[in-house]
Structures are given as structure tokens and as C-alpha cells.
Amino acid sequence: ENRKQRPWIITMGHRPMYCSNTDWDDCTFYESRVRTGFPFQPGLEELFYKYGVDLEIWAHEHSYERLWPVYKYKVYNGSMEAPYTNPKAPVHIITGSAGCSEGHNPFYPNPRAWSAFRAEDYGYTRFKLHNATHLYLEQVSDDKGGEVIDSIWLIKDQ
């Protein structure tokens, strides 16, 4: 009933659960504390999956990375042809690329199976909820004069 009034569940957090950067932050470790928790303090992945979070927006890494729908390191695409249509797990976006004096965070050369797109450009992410079933998200590169370098439609029938 509540989901009919609020069809999209979107979370935002600072430190991501997953990332493929080379800087040895928590998200680079298999048992990320944000994902799995601390003793006597649960992580967020199980909770977000259980309650059907659609989109998780993260920052901290000075880069942009879009993940396939993922839960416990397994990709749950809607289908091979339309991975973001009715995905079976949350979609993660890491958008910490607005810039800082520390520079970019580079990536490991070979992306992990759950990593769909990566960019080290300075830029920003914007999204629009079109209705109860369609969300559009894009990454804009400041380094490329405002060019949209990545975009997805997140679509759900329920």
C-alpha cells in the first residue's frame, strides 16, 4: 500500500558498498563495512534488498561508476537485453566526481562483473522521476564541456 503512494525507494549515502577504485577505501574490500556491518551493528545491503530499494546513490570516490543491479556480488539484471527493466536487485551509482583538490580516484584496469560503466572525469549526476515506472539518470562530464557520458532508464512494471 505504501509503495503505491511512494513507488520509488532511493537511498543516498557517503561511502559506497561496492567500487572498483584502487585507493583501498572500504568499498574495495570484499566485506565492506557499509555492506556487511560491524559486530552488533548490521550493514545496509541486506536491509536495502529486503525492502526493495530501487536506486542507491553513493559518493566518496572521486569518480563515477554505474553498477548492474547487484546483491551480494551477484548481478541480477532484469534481462540481458534490458538490464535495468524490472531489476531483481538495487542499482548502485557512485557519483563522487564533482571534484576536489585530491584529484581523481583511478580504477582497477579490469572491471568487476558488477561494474557496468566507469569514468574518472569531473562531473555530476542528475536524474528525473518521470512517473511511477520510469526513472532517467545521466552522468554529465565537466571535462568534456557538459557532454552526457552515461545514461540509463530504470524501468519497473510494479
Side-chain angles (χ1 to χ4, degrees), residues 20-150:
S20 59
N21 300 87
T22 60
D23 58 4
W24 296 101
D25 278 339
D26 184 58
C27 58
T28 65
F29 300 116
Y30 185 79
E31 295 299 333
S32 157
R33 294 297 182 198
V34 174
R35 194 173 74 72
T36 61
F38 292 94
F40 309 108
Q41 183 179 359
L44 296 175
E45 186 170 44
E46 194 69 40
L47 180 74
F48 289 174
Y49 182 77
K50 178 181 177 182
Y51 288 101
V53 169
D54 300 297
L55 178 63
E56 300 179 23
I57 299 173
W58 305 98
H60 188 69
E61 299 301 324
H62 301 158
S63 58
Y64 169 80
E65 187 168 14
R66 172 175 46 85
L67 278 55
W68 300 114
V70 64
Y71 172 64
K72 293 190 175 181
Y73 282 92
K74 184 175 179 192
V75 173
Y76 287 91
N77 288 345
S79 69
M80 290 301 289
E81 300 79 31
Y84 298 104
T85 299
N86 297 316
K88 308 292 188 265
V91 175
H92 296 246
I93 302 290
I94 303 162
T95 178
S97 63
C100 79
S101 60
E102 297 169 1
H104 302 288
N105 290 136
F107 293 104
Y108 285 105
N110 300 316
R112 296 183 173 128
W114 38 260
S115 182
F117 182 87
R118 309 181 306 172
E120 292 181 36
D121 298 25
Y122 285 122
Y124 57 93
T125 304
R126 57 187 175 200
F127 69 92
K128 180 177 181 180
L129 298 168
H130 283 268
N131 54 40
T133 61
H134 287 70
L135 180 154
Y136 176 74
L137 182 140
E138 62 186 15
Q139 177 68 9
V140 179
S141 170
D142 285 343
D143 292 351
K144 294 181 178 152
E147 177 185 332
V148 173
I149 59 170
D150 187 46

